[in-house]
Amino acid sequence: MNTTQFQNYAETIQTLNLPLISDTSLLPKSLLMDTDGDLSIYYVPFDYVNQNAKIVIVGITPGFTQLKNALIAAQSNIGLGRSVEETLIDIKKKASFSGAMRKNLVDMLDFVGIEKWLGISSCADLFNTQSHLLHSTSALKYPVFIKGENYNGTPNMTKHPLLKSYLLANFGKEAEMLKNAIFVPLGPKPAEAMQLLVKNGVVDESRILFGMPHPSPASMERINYFLDKKEKSNLSIKTNPDLIDNAKQAIIDKLKSLRT
């Protein structure tokens, strides 16, 4: 765990007036890690890697909501005088996939039986009493914004030089520490990042559960169809039911063949 990096940013984080920071334009330049044209990458204290995790949830990149929640949690822990390690663990627990995404994520994980595979009552417990089983992360670990807005996968992170370098240097390094876990990429962009790691020999493809829709509220139609809450006949042309059906069954089948 890179505690030095957090310590380098701790003073800046401690002095932030977070209630006044409503968008990326109000973030201090001291948190800016890199830029390339319209792209900007900011530091957020997601440095903790749970090497004992049984399941790794992989998003695209933390959005502004997750960034702000992480900074709030960091300030709170610093104010309480907690150690760097305690602080980083608490930040991950409170800020990862926070907001409306978390309920959608839990519903989908439970629907395919991941809670049974893990031996817990619900995947909601991964964010509290069973957090030792979870490592939540992103293909791009540090928040990426384009023109100040949340990055949604364009430009392609597996081809853009700066984004690809961050993907391999950060997420690739984490994945190497998590050989015994299953990986659940959320949506096509994290799945593409996972395929790059497979190609590079970092992760065994047999331990990746491809096809889970992204839990964002913007994907509610796909999520509801995945959860059997919406009929195929009522779907818009934007949703491919056969793709979701095949992916869901593949996840269920792969879980049956994997040991915890």
Side-chain angles (χ1 to χ4, degrees):
M1 178 165 55
N2 189 349
T3 58
T4 302
Q5 183 156 254
F6 173 71
Q7 290 168 322
N8 289 339
Y9 287 98
E11 185 175 348
T12 294
I13 292 171
Q14 199 170 4
T15 59
L16 293 175
N17 190 341
L18 289 170
L20 296 181
I21 297 178
S22 56
D23 57 58
T24 56
S25 68
L26 300 173
L27 290 169
K29 296 297 183 186
S30 51
L31 290 180
L32 186 64
M33 299 178 75
D34 235 321
T35 61
D36 185 0
D38 292 330
L39 288 171
S40 55
I41 303 174
Y42 284 86
Y43 175 76
V44 71
F46 283 150
D47 302 302
Y48 173 68
V49 179
N50 178 12
Q51 296 185 51
N52 297 316
K54 295 295 184 184
I55 180 170
V56 183
I57 308 295
V58 187
I60 298 177
T61 190
F64 183 75
T65 297
Q66 285 71 47
L67 176 149
K68 191 165 180 178
N69 287 344
L71 295 175
I72 289 169
Q75 278 191 347
S76 175
N77 278 272
I78 292 170
L80 291 171
R82 290 178 174 163
S83 70
V84 173
E85 184 170 358
E86 288 174 323
T87 295
L88 293 176
I89 291 172
D90 188 62
I91 291 166
K92 262 300 185 78
K93 188 184 297 186
K94 289 178 177 174
S96 295
F97 300 108
S98 53
M101 285 198 300
R102 187 174 291 184
K103 182 183 184 304
N104 292 336
L105 174 59
V106 167
D107 288 347
M108 289 190 290
L109 295 175
D110 283 351
F111 188 83
V112 295
I114 290 178
E115 87 289 6
K116 295 182 179 67
W117 186 82
L118 291 169
I120 60 179
S121 60
S122 169
C123 287
D125 296 337
L126 292 171
F127 297 96
N128 44 69
T129 59
Q130 302 295 329
S131 60
H132 61 285
L133 298 174
L134 172 68
H135 180 61
S136 52
T137 189
S138 299
L140 295 170
K141 179 175 181 174
Y142 299 108
V144 176
F145 301 97
I146 183 161
K147 295 183 179 179
E149 300 296 323
N150 289 340
Y151 168 78
N152 64 2
T154 302
N156 190 316
M157 71 178 85
T158 67
K159 297 176 181 177
H160 188 279
L162 178 64
L163 298 182
K164 185 177 180 180
S165 69
Y166 269 78
L167 191 168
L168 294 173
N170 295 293
F171 180 46
K173 185 176 180 181
E174 284 189 9
E176 287 180 339
M177 303 178 191
L178 298 158
K179 297 286 189 183
N180 297 319
I182 58 169
F183 290 78
V184 183
L186 302 176
K189 301 302 181 180
E192 193 172 352
M194 293 293 324
Q195 290 285 15
L196 178 64
L197 297 192
V198 170
K199 182 180 178 181
N200 286 6
V202 177
V203 181
D204 185 340
E205 188 170 3
S206 69
R207 302 196 70 82
I208 305 172
L209 305 181
F210 289 109
M212 189 83 72
H214 194 277
S216 166
S219 301
M220 282 312 301
E221 182 172 79
R222 295 181 186 88
I223 293 166
N224 284 331
Y225 184 71
F226 187 92
L227 297 171
D228 291 345
K229 291 182 176 180
K230 188 162 188 173
E231 296 292 332
K232 184 184 292 189
S233 59
N234 294 328
L235 295 174
S236 71
I237 59 172
K238 294 180 179 180
T239 297
N240 184 332
D242 293 335
L243 191 66
I244 295 174
D245 288 339
N246 292 337
K248 181 166 57 176
Q249 191 59 52
I251 291 171
I252 293 169
D253 292 343
K254 189 173 281 191
L255 276 173
K256 292 176 181 176
S257 69
L258 287 172
R259 295 180 180 179
T260 53

